[in-house]
Amino acid sequence: MTNPFDLTGQTALVTGTSRGLGQYLARALAQAGADLILTSRRRDDLLPFAAEIESLGRKVIPLALDVRDQHSIATMAEAAIAQAGQIHILVNNAGCNVRKPAFDVTWDDWNLILDTNLRGSFFVAQHIARHMADRGFGRIINIGSVTSVFGYAGLAPYGASRGGIRQLTMSLADDWGQHGITVNCLAPGWFETAQNRVMYQDKEWVDYLIDRIPLKRPGEPHDLDGAVVFLASELSRYITGQTLLVDGGISTGAMRATVKPKP
Ligand SMILES: NC(=O)c1ccc[n+]([C@@H]2O[C@H](COP(=O)([O-])OP(=O)(O)OC[C@H]3O[C@@H](n4cnc5c(N)ncnc54)[C@H](OP(=O)(O)O)[C@@H]3O)[C@@H](O)[C@H]2O)c1
């Protein structure tokens, strides 16, 4: 019997793969058989990870991309399509964050976060989806967050960008379904990466976090594997516009933050 999760012969473009969750997601797709296009602002920063993926026997195309620059998006998309021939899967992962009380957020903070996380994801998807539509097939996976669904103090622009990603996912699913393209949002909970490492150095905060996660630990590198491979695979063919939270259950316990559970 053929493996319905097998991605052999498909090419996945994963943005933001110089470190962090982008590498976890890309590695899972490569282990399922996909060839990869990797991006970050500096191409050289991709080379160690590209070598790791090549050692699995996959083809890798590392490309520079700044998602805040429309010319960079157009240039990357053109090069990716020319070099890969066909792109079947796009994972819109590149993103950034600035943690601040809402009173302290500046105009530049807002622009940085919204331009990177929301505008960048849209225009990368637009370029790649035109190519996918010509071939009548595509899987787009936008990376969201638990803040796509819930509010969190200190993350006002970030939460707005992630809520926007969830809404964008639904709009694009409605728009591009007719072209054989599914668009879904994979929303991770709390994973330690360069973006938030400073928070994990605070033991009191980590204990507080773990107390609120039903599965009693933060996310680990392979915790996103099943969701990303599923959303990229043939088995998710009739699922579009959805947000899949991979968060150890923290979103189910939203009331736990304020209301002590009674036995
Ligand atoms: N960590 C978590 O707990 C968590 C939870 C939910 C969602 N997320 C989201 O998941 C994604 C990855 O998070 P992470 O924790 O892995 O972050 P990270 O370690 O800071 O990595 C961010 C990645 O995005 C790339 N990037 C940033 N700005 C870019 C730009 N202007 N143009 C192109 N690429 C850019 C970075 O590449 P260069 O800097 O090399 O260009 C890097 O590869 C983000 O969108 C984040 O918001 C993270």
Side-chain angles (χ1 to χ4, degrees):
M1 186 181 143
T2 55
N3 173 4
F5 293 108
D6 186 7
L7 301 176
T8 303
Q10 301 204 30
T11 298
L13 164 54
V14 187
T15 66
T17 36
S18 55
R19 56 178 183 271
L21 300 193
Q23 292 193 348
Y24 305 168
L25 296 162
R27 189 180 288 114
L29 294 171
Q31 285 168 343
D35 295 322
L36 295 182
I37 301 163
L38 306 176
T39 77
S40 79
R41 280 169 288 186
R42 287 163 298 275
R43 185 179 176 278
D44 282 357
D45 292 349
L46 297 165
L47 300 183
F49 184 59
E52 178 200 321
I53 297 300
E54 276 167 347
S55 74
L56 299 174
R58 305 288 170 261
K59 290 185 208 129
V60 182
I61 301 170
L63 295 174
L65 167 68
D66 183 345
V67 298
R68 297 183 72 205
D69 175 350
Q70 60 178 317
H71 302 294
S72 175
I73 294 174
T75 304
M76 180 284 298
E78 197 179 323
I81 293 162
Q83 290 181 45
Q86 183 167 356
I87 300 170
H88 306 80
I89 301 156
L90 165 66
V91 182
N92 254 324
N93 165 79
C96 68
N97 193 6
V98 177
R99 279 164 223 284
K100 278 184 181 175
F103 283 136
D104 298 339
V105 171
T106 65
W107 187 270
D108 287 345
D109 293 333
W110 178 272
N111 285 342
L112 171 69
I113 297 168
L114 271 290
D115 290 0
T116 306
N117 298 357
L118 191 53
R119 189 181 66 185
S121 295
F122 172 73
F123 282 102
V124 171
Q126 185 196 57
H127 275 80
I128 302 304
R130 285 189 183 123
H131 157 85
M132 290 172 165
D134 287 345
R135 284 151 188 81
F137 178 86
R139 296 266 188 273
I140 297 178
I141 302 165
N142 293 321
I143 300 306
S145 152
V146 277
T147 63
S148 295
V149 184
F150 293 101
Y152 197 82
L155 294 181
Y158 183 79
S161 75
R162 293 295 168 219
I165 282 286
R166 180 169 177 240
Q167 181 62 39
L168 180 67
T169 295
M170 292 190 278
S171 297
L172 297 182
D174 198 25
D175 212 323
W176 294 341
Q178 63 189 310
H179 301 297
I181 301 170
T182 64
V183 188
N184 289 292
C185 173
L186 194 174
W190 290 92
F191 288 71
E192 182 179 350
T193 65
Q195 195 184 90
N196 55 25
R197 187 141 294 139
V198 67
M199 299 175 78
Y200 286 84
Q201 285 156 3
D202 178 346
K203 187 178 176 317
E204 201 180 318
W205 179 83
V206 173
D207 290 345
Y208 176 92
L209 174 69
I210 290 171
D211 186 49
R212 279 154 185 79
I213 300 175
L215 294 181
K216 295 297 164 207
R217 62 171 178 82
E220 292 171 359
H222 289 293
D223 287 337
L224 299 169
D225 292 7
V228 72
V229 171
F230 170 64
L231 291 176
S233 79
E234 172 61 15
L235 286 186
S236 67
R237 63 186 173 271
Y238 202 55
I239 299 171
T240 195
Q242 302 306 305
T243 293
L244 175 55
L245 286 142
V246 182
D247 65 353
I250 195 168
S251 51
T252 65
M255 281 181 68
R256 183 191 288 264
T258 49
V259 183
K260 192 174 167 54
K262 273 198 155 213

